[in-house]
Amino acid sequence: MTRLSFRFSRALEQGRAARAPATRAELLHRLLRKRAAAHHAGADDLEKMLRDQIRWALPIVRD
């Protein structure tokens, strides 16, 4: 396992072990950081999945 993939898997593991986000902003922050890590690791499928989750977590504002 390369050093980068080890760091990536460790970051994901720590993200799972962390407490649930208190706010939508905190949830979005976590998802964006995970998406960035997936992008840097070249994990295209994971990055796409995280983009879908980010889209779902965005607030809906109706006029």
Side-chain angles (χ1 to χ4, degrees):
M1 181 180 279
T2 67
R3 184 170 186 247
L4 179 60
S5 61
F6 175 74
R7 287 180 47 204
F8 179 64
S9 65
R10 190 164 182 209
L12 286 177
E13 181 181 323
Q14 289 173 347
R16 287 188 198 111
R19 62 176 174 71
T23 64
R24 183 172 288 211
E26 187 178 347
L27 171 66
L28 285 169
H29 181 255
R30 289 182 187 186
L31 288 171
L32 288 167
R33 289 180 56 93
K34 287 180 182 181
R35 193 216 51 85
H39 176 77
H40 283 72
D44 295 332
D45 291 340
L46 179 58
E47 184 180 3
K48 182 186 179 313
M49 182 189 72
L50 288 165
R51 284 183 187 190
D52 291 340
Q53 289 181 6
I54 290 165
R55 221 175 275 117
W56 177 84
L58 288 171
I60 297 172
V61 178
R62 294 196 173 123
D63 295 330

